[in-house]
Amino acid sequence: MAEGTNIITEGLQQRRHSRLPLFTRFWLWLLGGFFAQIKFYKRNTATIQKALESGSVVHVMQYRSYLDYLVFNYFLRKHDMAPVFFPRETWFDRIWAFLSGRSSKRPVSFEKGSQSLIFLRERRTFLSTDDGKIDLVRDLLEKQKDLTHPIYLIPQITIWSRRPPSVTWSFWDMVLGNSTSPGKLRKILIFFRNYKKAFIKCDAPLDLTPYTDEEITAKGKDPVKELRWRVYQFFSEERIASTGPASKPRTWMLESVLHSKAVQEIIETIHKEEGTSKEELNQRATMYLDKMAADYHYTMIIIFSFFLRIAFRRLYDRIELIDDEIEMLRNLVKSNPVVYCPTHKSHIDYLLLSYLCNDHHLFPPHIIAGENLSFWPMGFLFGRAGAIFIKRSFRGNRLYTTCLRTYLGHMLMEGHSQEFFIEGTRSRTGKVLPPKLGILSMYVDACLAHPEKDVYFVPVNVTYDRLIEEQAYAEELHGGKKKKENLKQMMKIKDVLKLRLGSVFVKVGTPISLADFMAKRGMAIKTLTPNQRRELIQDLGYEVIWGINKETTVTPTSVVATALLSANSKGVSEKLLLEDVEIIINYLREQGAILSSGLDQHSYAITHTLDVLLKEGMVDRHLIGNEVIYTLIQARRSNLDYYKNNTVHFFVPPAIVAIAFRSFDGAKVSREELHQRAAFLAEMFRHEVNYAPESALEEVLNQAIDFFVSRDALIEDQAGNLMLGPSAERYRGFFVRVLANFLESYWVVAGTLPVLLDKRMSESKFLKKVMEEAKKLQLVGEIKHDEAYSKSSFQNAISYLVHRGVLIKQERMEDTTITVLPHDLDTVRESMNEDQKSKKKSKKKKKDLYILEVAEQYSTPDMLSEVRKEIGLFMETTRKFRKKMGMD
C-alpha cells in the first residue's frame, strides 16, 4: 500500500512539474547535479508545508533572478511540492510559444495549497534611471480581501557567496552588478565558483490578513510599506548573519580609532603630564593599532577551513554541535553585537569555533589572541583570519589600553562579532578558571558608551574526549616550563595528526544580554557609579563562567577518570568501578548535566574508554582468578585528573558536605554544625571551582544533605540531627574522595608557611619551597594522591591564604612596594598611581613582582600550626595519624 502511494505521489509531482516551460525543465535537468549540492534546510520545507495546509503561499525574492528561480524549483520538486512559475516571460518562453503555438501566459492561482513567486525589485543596470521597484504587494493585499483563507508571504534568499560585501565600488561592480545584486555574467561566475557552499533560507510566513484591516490605515500606517520593510529586513539580516557587516578598508578603521575622542583625549593628558610630544604619542598609538588590528580577508577563512576540515577529520571521530543552537546564534547576530566567550582548554579552541561558524553559514568572529601567537608565519595568517593580537600585560600603559578599548568598541558597534577567552589563558587543570575581567570591562564600556545598542555575551563550552596538550599540561603542573609557541613547535603538527582523540562536544549556553543583566540589578547607564560598574563587571564575569560550566558535556573519559581517581586504593575491582560509574552517571542525570550520547548506553562506552586508557598506558588491567582489577599508573594520574576536573564542579556541593561530616568522626551532628564546617570548606575552595552566582550557599548545602538522606547515606532524626546511614560507605565515601587531592594540596601549602616566619619571600620562591615539600611528602607516603602535587592547586591555596588574611601579598614596583590587602585586591590595584605603573620595567619577570609575608596576627609557629590543623581536620590521613600519636 505504501509503495503504491509513493508511486501515485511521484506521478502527481511529475505531472505538476511537466506544466513548467520546456526550457525550464531542460535547465533543471542539465544543472540538477549542481543544484543538488546547494543546501536547503529542512526547516524550510516544514515552514512551506505548514503554510500550504492553511492558505496559499507567495514566495518572495529580492531581485529578479532566473537562476535563483531554477534552484528553488529544483528543491520544490525534490521535496514533493508543486512548482512555481517564473513571474515574467523569458526569451526562451517566447521562442517556445512561437514554435509550439501555445500561450506563454503563467497560470496564477491563490487557491488554498497553491504557490506562486514574485520579485520585489528588478536589477538596476549601469546608468539605469528607474529604481527597479515592482510593487505587487498592494495587488496581493487587494486579493486577500476577497479570500476566506490567508495568503502567506514567505521571503526566500539564496546566499551564493560568504564574502563580505565591500563599501567601496569598482568599475566592474557598476557594470556587472555587485555581489549582492550581480548581473547575468557575474551571477554565472558566482554560481560555478560557489554552488557547493551556497544555501537557501526562508523566513517565517507573513500572514496578509491583518494587513487588510482598516485600523492599520486609520493609524496612519501604510500596510504596503510595513510589509516591504519586514521582507527587506529579512534579506538584510540574513546577509549580515552569513557574511557579516560590509567590509571597510583597514586604514579607515584605524584612522577612525586614532582620531576618536577617547584616544585624542588620552594623548592630550599624557602630553601635559609627561611632556611627550603629541606627534610621538600619535605615532606610538598608530604603532599599537597597526600591530593589534585584524586585517580580515575572507580568502584566508576559506584556506583555513579547507585545511582544518582535513585535520579535524583525522583527529576526531566527530564534532557535535546542535543545529538549533546555531540557528539561535544566527538570529542573535542579525541585529545585535555578539561576544563569544568559550572555554580555553586547547589551542584548538579558537580554530574550532571559527571553523564551525563558517561551516554552518555563520560569519566567523574576530578573535582576541595573545601576541605570543603573532610569530611568523602564523601571525600573518591568523591576522588575516580575524585575529586581534594584544599584549599579555599592559596594565599601566594608558595609551595602549585606550587604543585597545576604543578599537574593540568600534569593531563591536560596527557589527563584527568577537571572541575572547574570559579565563585569560588555557586551563592546565581541566577546570574552568576564574574570570579575568580586563577585556570584559572594555566590552562593557563600549556598550555603556552606546546605550542604543545591547551587547550579548554567549558562553560556549568545548569539551574534548582527549586533549592534544594533555601530557604538556601534566608536565607544567609538576613544575615544568611552558614551551613557547614558535615555528619549530608548529612543525610538529605532523606528529599530532597521527593521533585519534575521540569526539569534541560544543555547547552554546544561554546568551546574556548586558541590558537585561543591568536591569535585573536595578542599574541604569545614566546613573551608574564607578563602584556599581566594578560590581557589574565582576558579577557578569562570574555569570559567564557559570554559564560555561552549565554547558559542560560529560564524556565517558571524564566519568571513568573520576571513578578511577576516587577509588580508595591504588587499584579497584571492575565490579566496584562500575558501581562508582553508576553513582556518577545517576547523580549527574539528577543534576541535569549534559551527558554525551555515548553514555546513553554507557556499558560499551565505559569498556571502550578503559581499553583506550590501557592502550595509552594510564591504567593496567589484571585478571586474578575470575576478577578483573584495574590499577593506575602513578606517573599518569595527573593526565586522568585533567578529565576528572572537567566535571568536578558538579560534585563539589555533596563532596564538601561529605568531607565536613567525616570531620566529626561519624558522631551525630546537627545540620547547623555540619553547615558551619561545610561553609568553611566552600570558602577554602572558592579559588578551585566556581559556584552558581545567585545560589545561596545554605540552599546549595541543604540540597546536598538532602541528596545523602535520600540515598540512606545519612539518616536524619526528628530533632534534625544527622548520623551515618547504611549506604554511607558507597555514597559518602565516594564523594569524600572526589576532593581529596585538593585537600592534600592545601595542607602541604599550610605546612610550608613556617619558612615565611620573620622574612619576606617572592611568591615564585615560596612556590618552589612548597613543591619541594610536596615532593618529599609524596615520596614518604604522606600524600596519597599524586595529582595533589599540582602547581595550580598550590597557587590557589596561596590565593586562599591571602584572601583569608594569613598571608599578605605585595606587588613590588621599580621604586616602591604596593601592599595588597585581603578581600580588596581589585580596589587596591585600581587605586595605584598610574604614573608609577607606566614606569615599571617591561623586562622584569612576573615571578619577581609579588612578595609574600605572614600577617602579624599569624606570625608565630603556633598560629601557623593551627592553620594547618584546621585543614588537616578534614583529611583522613592526618586524623588517623593524630589519633595514633595520642594528639586528640
Side-chain angles (χ1 to χ4, degrees), residues 26 82 240 300 340 346 424 634 647 657 659 687 726 742 756 841:
F26 169 74
I240 288 175
M300 192 58 66
Y340 298 95
S346 169
Q634 296 303 306
T647 54
V657 166
I659 293 170
H687 297 278
F742 298 119
L756 291 174
K841 291 182 178 179

Side-chain angles (χ1 to χ4, degrees), residues 6 9-14 16-17 45 49 52 73-83 115:
N6 290 338
T9 303
E10 185 177 348
L12 177 62
Q13 296 306 322
Q14 287 177 353
R16 284 176 172 176
H17 286 269
T45 306
Q49 289 176 338
L52 288 172
N73 257 325
Y74 173 85
F75 283 103
L76 288 176
R77 184 174 65 179
K78 185 176 180 181
H79 292 87
D80 296 329
M81 286 185 283
Q115 299 185 90

Side-chain angles (χ1 to χ4, degrees), residues 408-513:
L408 294 181
H410 270 59
M411 293 288 287
L412 200 62
M413 294 305 138
E414 287 279 335
H416 296 278
S417 293
Q418 295 179 44
E419 172 188 345
F420 87 110
F421 299 102
I422 195 169
E423 298 168 86
T425 185
R426 287 174 294 158
S427 171
R428 270 68 174 173
T429 63
K431 303 189 300 292
V432 178
L433 303 176
K436 296 294 192 302
L437 305 177
I439 300 298
L440 182 64
S441 69
M442 295 184 180
Y443 287 127
V444 171
D445 288 341
C447 189
L448 296 179
H450 297 84
E452 72 280 1
K453 287 197 175 183
D454 191 11
V455 175
Y456 282 81
F457 297 90
V458 181
V460 180
N461 192 300
V462 183
T463 306
Y464 301 88
D465 259 341
R466 298 291 304 280
L467 202 69
I468 288 178
E469 297 95 335
E470 176 187 295
Q471 189 57 38
Y473 288 172
E475 292 172 3
E476 288 182 39
L477 290 175
H478 285 77
K481 297 286 186 181
K482 174 183 177 295
K483 294 180 180 178
K484 186 178 180 181
E485 294 82 1
N486 51 41
L487 183 58
K488 184 178 179 181
Q489 291 291 104
M490 289 297 301
M491 295 302 292
K492 296 180 181 179
I493 195 170
K494 64 180 185 298
D495 298 324
V496 172
L497 292 176
K498 297 176 183 178
L499 303 174
R500 293 298 296 176
L501 301 172
S503 301
V504 184
F505 306 91
V506 182
K507 287 292 296 175
V508 180
T510 304
I512 302 168
S513 159

Side-chain angles (χ1 to χ4, degrees), residues 200-227:
I200 300 174
K201 290 283 293 182
C202 74
D203 195 16
L206 281 171
D207 186 351
L208 296 189
T209 306
Y211 292 90
T212 60
D213 196 328
E214 294 180 358
E215 290 185 8
I216 295 181
T217 307
K219 292 178 181 178
K221 295 182 178 179
D222 184 345
V224 176
K225 289 184 177 179
E226 289 281 328
L227 281 168

Side-chain angles (χ1 to χ4, degrees), residues 257-530:
V257 174
L258 181 63
H259 297 297
S260 66
K261 182 180 178 182
V263 173
Q264 289 304 309
E265 281 183 352
I266 197 65
I267 287 175
E268 182 68 28
T269 301
I270 297 174
H271 166 66
K272 290 179 179 179
E273 293 179 358
E274 298 181 2
T276 309
S277 69
K278 291 183 181 180
E279 291 76 10
E280 181 181 341
L281 291 171
N282 273 291
Q283 289 179 359
R284 196 185 303 172
T286 302
M287 180 188 67
Y288 289 154
L289 289 168
D290 184 56
K291 195 166 185 178
M292 73 173 66
D295 189 12
Y296 185 85
H297 289 72
Y298 184 69
T299 302
M300 192 58 66
I301 297 293
I302 297 174
I303 294 172
F304 265 109
S305 292
F306 174 79
F307 287 106
L308 287 176
R309 183 173 289 106
I310 296 172
F312 288 158
R313 284 177 179 172
R314 297 190 61 161
L315 286 172
Y316 303 113
D317 298 332
R318 63 187 172 126
I319 299 174
E320 187 175 292
L321 177 63
I322 298 175
D323 288 340
D324 287 345
E325 294 178 355
I326 280 290
E327 192 64 21
M328 178 266 291
L329 289 177
R330 172 179 293 277
N331 292 330
L332 196 64
V333 301
K334 288 177 182 178
S335 55
N336 298 284
V338 171
V339 178
Y340 298 95
C341 306
T343 50
H344 201 12
K345 297 175 181 176
S346 169
H347 280 308
I348 297 295
D349 298 334
Y350 45 82
L351 300 173
L352 184 64
L353 187 57
S354 292
Y355 167 79
L356 289 174
C357 284
N358 187 63
D359 196 49
H360 286 78
H361 308 134
L362 195 66
F363 72 93
H366 285 64
I367 307 169
I368 295 183
E371 278 192 350
N372 57 307
L373 294 175
S374 63
F375 63 90
W376 189 90
M378 299 314 297
F380 173 84
L381 300 177
F382 286 151
R384 278 153 183 76
I388 300 170
F389 294 111
I390 65 171
K391 296 178 180 293
R392 280 294 181 183
S393 177
F394 49 86
R395 192 155 54 93
N397 190 334
R398 291 175 292 170
L399 181 57
Y400 186 92
T401 302
T402 305
C403 287
L404 178 59
R405 179 186 291 112
T406 308
Y407 174 71
L408 294 181
H410 270 59
M411 293 288 287
L412 200 62
M413 294 305 138
E414 287 279 335
H416 296 278
S417 293
Q418 295 179 44
E419 172 188 345
F420 87 110
F421 299 102
I422 195 169
E423 298 168 86
T425 185
R426 287 174 294 158
S427 171
R428 270 68 174 173
T429 63
K431 303 189 300 292
V432 178
L433 303 176
K436 296 294 192 302
L437 305 177
I439 300 298
L440 182 64
S441 69
M442 295 184 180
Y443 287 127
V444 171
D445 288 341
C447 189
L448 296 179
H450 297 84
E452 72 280 1
K453 287 197 175 183
D454 191 11
V455 175
Y456 282 81
F457 297 90
V458 181
V460 180
N461 192 300
V462 183
T463 306
Y464 301 88
D465 259 341
R466 298 291 304 280
L467 202 69
I468 288 178
E469 297 95 335
E470 176 187 295
Q471 189 57 38
Y473 288 172
E475 292 172 3
E476 288 182 39
L477 290 175
H478 285 77
K481 297 286 186 181
K482 174 183 177 295
K483 294 180 180 178
K484 186 178 180 181
E485 294 82 1
N486 51 41
L487 183 58
K488 184 178 179 181
Q489 291 291 104
M490 289 297 301
M491 295 302 292
K492 296 180 181 179
I493 195 170
K494 64 180 185 298
D495 298 324
V496 172
L497 292 176
K498 297 176 183 178
L499 303 174
R500 293 298 296 176
L501 301 172
S503 301
V504 184
F505 306 91
V506 182
K507 287 292 296 175
V508 180
T510 304
I512 302 168
S513 159
L514 182 59
D516 292 345
F517 193 78
M518 293 178 66
K520 288 179 182 178
R521 284 155 178 76
M523 297 179 179
I525 293 178
K526 293 182 179 180
T527 59
L528 197 69
T529 66

